[in-house]
C-alpha cells in the first residue's frame, strides 16, 4: 500500500520528469501490470521516466537501458540491442556476459542506439 501511495503522490502534479526506484517490486501481478501500463501511457504523453532497478523483467519494459557495474557504464541501448550485442536470451544473462567480458583495465564502450524513442531510461 505504501508503494502505491507514494507513486500516486508522485503523479498528482503531472511531472515532466518522473524518477522511480523499483516501482513495482513487492506488488502482485495485477498491480504491476496496472502501474506499467500507466507509466507507458505517461511516457507516450511526453513524460520522461527514469527507473532504477535490479529486476531485469522491469528493465525489459523500458525503451532504453543503461547497465552499470561498479560505477561504470557497461551498456546503454535498447533491450533488444543489448541482447543482440551479447548473444543472450535474457537481460540477466546479458548483464552477466557483459560483466564477464570486461577486463579491469578497460571500460566498456557505451552501445547507444540512435533509433531509441523518448520513452523511459532504466538503470541497473
Amino acid at each position: 500500500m505504501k508503494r502505491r501511495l507514494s507513486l500516486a503522490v508522485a503523479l498528482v502534479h503531472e511531472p515532466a520528469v518522473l524518477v522511480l526506484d523499483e516501482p513495482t517490486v513487492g506488488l502482485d501481478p495485477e498491480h504491476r501490470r496496472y502501474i506499467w501500463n500507466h507509466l507507458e501511457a505517461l511516457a507516450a504523453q511526453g513524460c520522461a521516466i527514469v527507473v532504477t532497478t535490479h529486476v531485469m523483467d522491469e528493465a525489459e519494459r523500458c525503451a532504453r537501458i543503461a547497465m552499470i557495474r561498479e560505477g561504470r557504464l557497461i551498456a546503454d541501448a535498447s533491450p533488444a540491442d543489448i541482447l543482440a550485442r551479447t548473444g543472450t536470451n535474457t537481460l540477466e544473462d546479458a548483464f552477466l556476459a557483459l560483466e564477464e567480458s570486461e577486463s579491469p583495465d578497460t571500460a566498456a564502450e557505451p552501445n547507444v542506439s540512435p533509433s531509441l524513442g523518448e520513452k523511459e531510461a532504466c538503470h541497473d
Side-chain angles (χ1 to χ4, degrees):
M1 290 300 269
K2 286 182 182 180
R3 185 170 301 277
R4 288 186 288 180
L5 178 61
S6 64
L7 185 56
V9 168
L11 296 174
V12 161
H13 300 287
E14 298 178 359
V17 177
L18 189 59
V19 179
L20 304 169
D21 182 27
E22 297 184 337
T24 65
V25 169
L27 297 180
D28 61 76
E30 181 181 357
H31 286 102
R32 286 185 74 201
R33 179 176 289 166
Y34 174 80
I35 287 173
W36 276 107
N37 287 341
H38 192 70
L39 293 175
E40 289 167 0
L42 287 171
Q45 295 170 10
C47 180
I49 301 174
V50 177
V51 176
T52 62
T53 187
H54 67 280
V55 180
M56 293 296 121
D57 70 319
E58 284 200 337
E60 286 175 357
R61 295 177 160 271
C62 300
R64 183 174 178 170
I65 301 172
M67 290 183 168
I68 300 171
R69 178 179 178 257
E70 295 180 2
R72 292 191 349 237
L73 185 67
I74 61 172
D76 180 5
S78 71
D81 289 345
I82 291 171
L83 293 175
R85 174 180 163 199
T86 59
T88 58
N89 294 319
T90 68
L91 287 177
E92 197 168 272
D93 288 340
F95 182 84
L96 294 172
L98 289 165
E99 183 178 50
E100 290 170 4
S101 69
E102 268 202 14
S103 68
D105 4 282
T106 60
E109 301 252 343
N111 180 11
V112 180
S113 172
S115 63
L116 298 173
E118 297 179 15
K119 191 174 172 186
E120 294 115 12
C122 291
H123 299 275
D124 181 40

